[in-house]
Amino acid sequence: MGTFGPALLLALLAAAGNALFVYAQKRADLPQNPLLLLAGAAFVAFVLLGIYSTVVGLPDVAEYGRTRGVWMFLTGVGLMITFVGFNFLFNRFGASYYSLYAALSILTTSVGIGFLVFREPLNSWIVAATGATLLAIALLGIGVARTQL
């Protein structure tokens, strides 16, 4: 099975969580301040992750924060930007636009961060998958344009 099988299962778990995230946002009635829902969701995630981290093993928290604080901060900023982007994308355009986010995430994360920043390995299959991602974005754009005629 190699590394792809376990990675696929973890990606499926994350995708299921993401689907729950989108479902809950779409079902919530957000007439006034949609960001309050996100703040509450982030608090719930904070509490649950705090509990889970004690199960995994609690390091010296002060040392951990001192040595990784900047990365915690940047991760938090990234989550906030993602949460806000998701919220406005799904509430203004619908959950079907998730494929646009997913395709752009492939480009920004897999190519931008993975290959360009961390120099992760690249082969012809990964290049072809990236090309398919660009094609998916183009097809989504065509599909949206055709439904708006």
Side-chain angles (χ1 to χ4, degrees), residues 2 5 11-12 20 47 72 91-93 100-101 103 137 141:
L12 181 60
L20 181 60
V47 170
M72 291 172 115
N91 286 308
R92 291 185 181 177
F93 302 102
L100 180 60
Y101 160 78
I137 293 170

Side-chain angles (χ1 to χ4, degrees), residues 52-75:
Y52 182 66
S53 70
T54 62
V55 172
V56 172
L58 200 56
D60 178 0
V61 176
E63 174 69 14
Y64 193 89
R66 191 174 73 256
T67 59
R68 293 169 184 87
V70 68
W71 303 117
M72 291 172 115
F73 176 78
L74 290 174
T75 300

